[in-house]
Amino acid sequence: MPACSKGRLTRILGASNNSKFDSFANSFQMRIDWDYLATHLAAVISKAIVTKYYSVEIRYAYHLELLTGCRQSLVEAQRYPEDFNGVYATAPALNETGVTTYAITSNVRAVLLDETNFTQAITVDNVRVIKEAVLDACDYLAGLKDGVIGIPRSCHFEIDRLAFSARHQNSSSCLSRTALEAAKRLYAGPVSSITHQQLNLEGVLPGSESVWPGTYVAQTEGGNPGYCDFAVSFLSHYAFWPDPAEEVTSFTINLSEPTLLARTSKTESLEYTGMADMSKFQQLGGKVIMTRYFRCTELCTRPVSSP
């Protein structure tokens, strides 16, 4: 949505993790329109609407977003440097197709025992126990006990201490072996079954537990975590070109397939060129502010196996 104040236009764009990609099925032109033209045309049309409605000349235009929208900000500055005077980019989801293919697949597998009955490996109550343990172990690391893990990569809490024991089998502050292993898989991230190497640089970070319910973990028993449907739509109708002949789910895709990243390369080339050339944007006086976001490891890290 655009916001206008004293001749300044701020364009806030982005894509939700609940997005459906069914409309992209078997259409490479749709991918081109979305990845290469959508943000640019939104900027052009927004400026025209604001200028007409307010009867003012837009002197400055800015793009603010995070994750997918953040990548749009940076790519927009490279491809269409005249569109904005500045971008505020939080946790850019660079190389999104390759990373998301690994990340969402790994995360759905981590929290579900199967995709047929949506049998949960971990529950919202389990997440509460984990979150409390993480805060208890690492809340002080940044020098302030405020309920926020300020330095997540320095948090090394011992999750095995939460396992059920013979003395505390019914304790609400413990995890079953199934839930414990599910949490470990989330923190570890995707690993090749062939080489046993990390496919992403890392998994989710300690301190991210607040966003697990609804995203990775179903809110209710027998429910469907948000990433599950997203994964099916993304893998079946967007990530690969040409589209797979049959529907792809997180349980049918083979993350250890050596050519997997090559099969996502066409889509990646549209959404991000891999070249961070901001010279024209700089010559036009453009400014960039980049910040980090605690969920960055879901989409922002580059696959280890990627060239």
Side-chain angles (χ1 to χ4, degrees):
M1 58 179 292
C4 186
S5 175
K6 295 183 179 180
R8 293 180 173 85
L9 172 68
T10 299
R11 181 69 196 169
I12 305 174
L13 297 169
S16 166
N17 277 346
N18 294 320
S19 300
K20 291 290 187 178
F21 291 88
D22 302 47
S23 60
F24 290 87
N26 299 311
S27 174
F28 197 64
Q29 184 61 49
M30 285 284 290
R31 290 165 168 84
I32 294 174
D33 291 344
W34 167 248
D35 290 320
Y36 207 95
L37 296 174
T39 308
H40 169 62
L41 292 180
V44 172
I45 294 171
S46 295
K47 288 180 180 181
I49 292 173
V50 169
T51 299
K52 180 70 174 179
Y53 185 83
Y54 290 100
S55 299
V56 296
E57 178 184 355
I58 297 173
R59 293 179 295 164
Y60 301 98
Y62 303 94
H63 193 286
L64 287 75
E65 253 300 344
L66 70 157
L67 299 176
T68 293
C70 174
R71 186 202 72 242
Q72 292 172 336
S73 293
L74 297 178
V75 173
E76 181 76 359
Q78 295 176 54
R79 292 175 174 169
Y80 304 97
E82 70 283 357
D83 280 356
F84 294 99
N85 300 93
V87 298
Y88 188 99
T90 302
L94 305 180
N95 192 27
E96 182 173 7
T97 299
V99 176
T100 304
T101 297
Y102 286 118
I104 62 174
T105 299
S106 172
N107 291 338
V108 170
R109 286 181 182 176
V111 299
L112 289 179
L113 297 180
D114 66 77
E115 281 185 319
T116 302
N117 300 313
F118 300 114
T119 306
Q120 291 287 114
I122 189 171
T123 67
V124 172
D125 287 339
N126 296 150
V127 175
R128 175 188 54 78
V129 172
I130 297 169
K131 178 182 177 181
E132 290 176 356
V134 171
L135 287 174
D136 185 60
C138 303
D139 194 6
Y140 64 91
L141 290 177
L144 179 66
K145 195 172 181 64
D146 57 358
V148 177
I149 307 300
I151 313 176
R153 289 181 178 85
S154 297
C155 178
H156 304 294
F157 78 106
E158 298 181 32
I159 192 170
D160 284 319
R161 290 188 174 185
L162 299 178
F164 277 122
S165 66
R167 291 187 305 164
H168 303 100
Q169 289 188 6
N170 297 317
S171 173
S172 60
S173 61
C174 295
L175 301 178
S176 67
R177 177 55 57 182
T178 299
L180 187 68
E181 293 304 318
K184 285 183 177 180
R185 289 193 295 270
L186 274 176
Y187 287 126
V191 177
S192 170
S193 61
I194 298 175
T195 65
H196 304 292
Q197 293 181 333
Q198 288 285 131
L199 296 173
N200 278 8
L201 296 181
E202 56 191 344
V204 300
L205 294 176
S208 66
E209 296 79 16
S210 294
V211 300
W212 291 13
T215 304
Y216 309 132
V217 179
Q219 297 277 18
T220 58
E221 185 176 354
N224 189 358
Y227 256 29
C228 187
D229 284 341
F230 173 76
V232 173
S233 183
F234 182 86
L235 296 172
S236 299
H237 304 303
Y238 181 78
F240 306 109
W241 184 260
D243 283 358
E246 298 180 355
E247 185 177 78
V248 179
T249 78
S250 296
F251 282 73
T252 60
I253 191 173
N254 180 9
L255 287 181
S256 300
E257 179 188 336
T259 63
L260 190 63
L261 270 184
R263 292 169 56 204
T264 67
S265 61
K266 280 199 172 182
T267 303
E268 289 174 20
S269 68
L270 297 176
E271 65 189 25
Y272 174 60
T273 63
M275 297 294 292
D277 183 4
M278 309 291 278
S279 57
K280 291 184 179 179
F281 188 64
Q282 183 181 32
Q283 290 170 14
L284 292 174
K287 305 295 183 182
V288 175
I289 297 176
M290 291 185 64
T291 60
R292 295 295 300 272
Y293 180 52
F294 76 92
R295 290 177 66 189
C296 183
T297 52
E298 292 174 23
L299 300 174
C300 300
T301 52
R302 189 176 182 85
V304 173
S305 55
S306 179

